[in-house]
Amino acid sequence: MASTSSFTGDPKQYPIEQFKEEITGSCNCGAITVIVKDNLWANPEKGHLCHCQNCRKTSGSFVTSNMAMEKAKVEIRDEQGKLKRYPDYNTGSGKKVERCFCGECGSAIMSDPELFPDLVMLKTGMFPRIPKPECESFVGHRQSWEEQSVLGSAPVLFDTVRGQAKFEGK
Ligand SMILES: [Zn+2]
Ligand SMILES: [Zn+2]
């Protein structure tokens, strides 16, 4: 059955000024909303792209867009109890990363890493506006045709884990 949804996904419809205190995102079905009480535009760049296999599978794409955020600043509203947590131990550290998604519509919500108990890695696709990411991780695992970064002329690229060895090419 064709839906009559209006296409409200154009980021330009949402001035950044309205998100200086907080920003609210949601999954496709709307059962889960995520409120971040922070100004994501306080710095020119925020968040990172990741080419690792786990992120690719989670997002259904060749790259995913993540944002580390203090748990204290994140409020999750899930009145119907739809948030599912997949415990993923197939990680670089061997520590558990809970991959959280909506059990109704399948939208990726966040990763909850045992390694960083005070942080969650929010999936930025759920927000009406997304800041420019500050770096890319697992660039060594990207596809052969991804020769140029979407981040512009001097992107910060890490070979694997963010904050560790820089990507030296190929
Ligand atoms: Zn949903
Ligand atoms: Zn990743």
Side-chain angles (χ1 to χ4, degrees):
M1 193 167 66
S3 100
T4 54
S5 87
S6 55
F7 292 99
T8 56
D10 183 352
K12 298 183 290 299
Q13 292 180 325
Y14 306 97
I16 287 169
E17 292 65 42
Q18 71 189 76
F19 304 124
K20 289 267 163 78
E21 304 287 323
E22 62 178 47
I23 187 168
T24 300
S26 66
C27 62
N28 263 324
C29 76
I32 296 168
T33 54
V34 177
I35 302 159
V36 179
K37 290 166 182 150
D38 194 22
N39 180 2
L40 306 185
W41 286 269
N43 297 305
E45 299 174 352
K46 179 84 176 161
H48 71 282
L49 304 179
C50 186
H51 301 264
C52 87
Q53 173 178 262
N54 307 53
C55 279
R56 295 200 306 260
K57 287 177 188 281
T58 297
S59 66
S61 177
F62 61 90
V63 68
T64 195
S65 175
N66 295 323
M67 183 184 295
M69 185 59 59
E70 296 90 333
K71 278 183 182 168
K73 294 180 177 175
V74 178
E75 179 187 336
I76 296 171
R77 292 193 184 151
D78 176 26
E79 286 163 15
Q80 302 170 58
K82 298 290 187 186
L83 190 80
K84 294 271 190 287
R85 291 174 172 268
Y86 168 66
D88 186 357
Y89 289 92
N90 185 24
T91 59
S93 64
K95 299 260 187 194
K96 179 175 70 171
V97 174
E98 289 188 338
R99 305 208 180 269
C100 305
F101 59 97
C102 175
E104 185 69 24
C105 70
S107 298
I109 303 293
M110 64 184 180
S111 298
D112 191 351
E114 190 178 16
L115 202 56
F116 304 105
D118 298 331
L119 297 177
V120 286
M121 305 296 161
L122 299 169
K123 299 295 174 182
T124 65
M126 65 185 150
F127 297 109
R129 284 200 81 134
I130 301 169
K132 183 182 176 185
E134 53 191 323
C135 64
E136 291 184 41
S137 55
F138 282 87
V139 174
H141 293 196
R142 71 182 173 185
Q143 308 301 314
S144 56
W145 49 263
E146 287 183 82
E147 289 163 1
Q148 288 185 321
S149 172
V150 296
L151 300 186
S153 58
V156 180
L157 306 177
F158 296 105
D159 189 45
T160 56
V161 178
R162 184 167 51 112
Q164 296 188 9
K166 292 278 179 69
F167 179 66
E168 302 290 355
K170 299 300 162 201

